[in-house]
Amino acid sequence: MAISYFVTYPLLVVFLGMFVFFVYNIIMAGRGAVKIDPTDAGQAQGEIVNIRSSSGENSAFINVIIQVRFITADHKIVNTEGKTVIDAVKVSEYQKGTKVPLTYSKKEPKKIKINIPSPLER
């Protein structure tokens, strides 16, 4: 009986720790999402200035950071970047100079959300 306590409790602590770690990571992953109030939102077409991968994984989907330049409704030129996910097959559609639709905050124009269709939607 004494041996089972030395095995059971450490395993229980390890699995409980792993559970807490995964829940924490899921919660923290959602904190980086850009939220723009619909009443504060403006629409624009941004020109891709630079694009780089933010993940080194071998997958059908690529996490990218796209640096764009666009003109706001009050004619200000803004250079900023946004994160999105693209399909690896469609990488050629997102090269420098290509226009992409985006939503920006009128109060903070550097805060953008790139409106590229999700590769998971068919």
Side-chain angles (χ1 to χ4, degrees):
M1 273 266 194
I3 294 177
S4 67
Y5 290 118
F6 292 115
V7 174
T8 305
Y9 288 135
L11 284 176
L12 183 62
V13 169
V14 167
F15 286 116
L16 183 62
M18 288 173 44
F19 177 75
V20 169
F21 175 76
F22 287 125
V23 169
Y24 175 78
N25 280 335
I26 289 169
I27 291 170
M28 295 308 283
R31 296 185 79 209
V34 175
K35 293 180 178 81
I36 299 174
D37 183 20
T39 60
D40 179 41
Q43 302 293 322
Q45 288 285 324
E47 178 184 353
I48 296 177
V49 177
N50 192 11
I51 184 169
R52 66 184 187 276
S53 172
S54 64
S55 65
E57 298 177 20
N58 187 8
S59 174
F61 308 119
I62 303 171
N63 295 319
V64 293
I65 299 172
I66 299 178
Q67 185 178 359
V68 294
R69 178 181 12 215
F70 67 97
I71 301 173
T72 63
D74 53 349
H75 306 291
K76 291 181 184 173
I77 297 174
V78 178
N79 287 308
T80 188
E81 59 185 30
K83 294 179 181 180
T84 191
V85 178
I86 60 174
D87 192 344
V89 176
K90 296 183 178 180
V91 170
S92 61
E93 294 178 18
Y94 303 105
Q95 299 301 315
K96 290 181 184 180
T98 306
K99 300 277 188 181
V100 291
L102 57 90
T103 303
Y104 67 93
S105 168
K106 292 177 183 173
K107 294 177 188 169
E108 300 174 64
K110 289 196 173 269
K111 189 175 171 183
I112 65 166
K113 182 175 181 182
I114 299 172
N115 300 329
I116 292 175
S118 171
L120 297 175
E121 296 174 0
R122 301 228 176 222

